[in-house]
């Protein structure tokens, strides 16, 4: 997924990795999460899927995954901030079937959050690569603007953010307990991606805000992905609440088992 983020591409790989072939995972609509997102309000389903709905939709809930056949779902393409992300709004009044948790669907949201974090790190890396290319080629006062100390400091700070999120992904393996760890990864990667695209826009100047320059694709993708499964700020607040209950050490981002 990191390569997807680095080049701002979309495919069916996200659903394939989270819930397997022929299925789509239903994500809660941003702003409608309540604690650990469930994606459902009563028996009525309102959520988002990436790309068009597959043959079966997997709805993560507090009681385990539930399943909906595609025939019972009404879908509507969402343009939003990042039309190329391919989000689709799905609705259904059909009561989903309770499923048995398996390796593929036991903690769908935790695994989905980890993949989103990986993709966000790729977005951060892609934005920085674009910014570096620009500051090497753009000249002012007869020298590349990348030679100016203020520009270098801004990009170094952004690189540290991206590298920190990438290292955290490597440190917390995919087999770790998914709930708190996934939240840590998503919060770290989302914050890093937002800071990196902001730094890239800063050093690219007015060019960074034009549609002709590819940076706008990374800005849109970072904002859209960060909003899925709770934004980085909301995730950090939730981690703070967990820390008060003794579940995490926020200064080291170490998860207690």
């Amino acid at each position: 997924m990191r390569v997807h983020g680095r080049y701002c591409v979309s495919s069916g790989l996200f659903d394939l990795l989270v819930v397997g072939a022929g299925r789509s995972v239903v994500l809660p609509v941003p702003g409608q999460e309540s604690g650990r997102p469930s994606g459902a309000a009563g028996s009525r389903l309102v959520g988002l899927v990436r790309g068009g709905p597959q043959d079966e939709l997997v709805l993560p809930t507090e009681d385990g995954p539930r399943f909906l056949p595609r025939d019972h779902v009404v879908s509507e393409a969402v343009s939003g901030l990042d039309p190329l992300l391919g989000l689709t709004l799905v609705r259904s009044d059909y009561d989903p079937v309770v499923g048995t948790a398996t390796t593929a669907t036991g903690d769908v949201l935790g695994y989905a959050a980890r993949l989103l974090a990986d993709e966000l790190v790729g977005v951060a890396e892609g934005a920085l690569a674009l910014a570096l290319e620009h500051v090497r080629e753009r000249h002012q006062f007869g020298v590349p603007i990348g030679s100016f100390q203020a520009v270098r400091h801004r990009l170094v700070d952004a690189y540290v953010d991206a590298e920190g999120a990438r290292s955290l992904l490597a440190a917390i393996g995919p087999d770790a307990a998914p709930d708190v760890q996934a939240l840590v990864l998503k919060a770290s990667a989302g914050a890093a991606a937002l800071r990196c695209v902001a730094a890239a826009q800063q050093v690219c100047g007015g060019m960074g805000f034009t549609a002709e320059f590819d940076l706008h694709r990374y800005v849109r993708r970072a904002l859209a992905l960060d909003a899925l499964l709770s934004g980085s700020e909301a995730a950090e607040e939730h981690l703070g609440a967990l820390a008060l209950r003794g579940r995490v050490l926020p200064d080291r981002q170490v998860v207690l088992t």
Side-chain angles (χ1 to χ4, degrees), residues 1-151:
M1 294 303 296
R2 192 171 307 167
V3 175
H4 280 56
R6 193 173 297 150
Y7 298 101
C8 283
V9 298
S10 297
S11 72
L13 184 61
F14 179 79
D15 284 325
L16 180 63
L17 292 175
V18 177
V19 289
R23 289 174 169 173
S24 295
V25 58
V26 180
L27 304 175
V29 177
Q32 295 185 8
E33 300 93 341
S34 177
R36 182 175 173 80
S38 65
S43 62
R44 179 170 177 78
L45 164 67
V46 179
L48 294 170
V49 299
R50 296 187 64 171
Q54 300 295 315
D55 295 337
E56 187 175 52
L57 277 69
V58 180
L59 172 63
T61 71
E62 296 287 353
D63 301 322
R66 294 172 179 262
F67 302 92
L68 272 173
R70 172 68 181 84
D71 295 342
H72 294 281
V73 173
V74 176
S75 61
E76 176 186 354
V78 177
S79 56
L81 181 66
D82 186 4
L84 297 179
L85 186 57
L87 292 177
T88 301
L89 183 69
V90 293
R91 298 185 179 91
S92 178
D93 290 318
Y94 182 77
D95 192 18
V97 177
V98 178
T100 302
T102 65
T103 302
T105 59
D107 193 89
V108 174
L109 291 179
Y111 195 39
R114 182 182 181 86
L115 290 178
L116 288 174
D118 202 35
E119 193 170 358
L120 280 161
V121 170
V123 171
E125 293 173 346
L128 285 180
L130 202 61
L132 284 172
E133 181 181 0
H134 177 78
V135 301
R136 287 168 179 159
E137 295 180 354
R138 172 71 171 168
H139 284 64
Q140 192 63 265
F141 306 110
V143 296
I145 63 173
S147 64
F148 300 149
Q149 190 177 57
V151 173

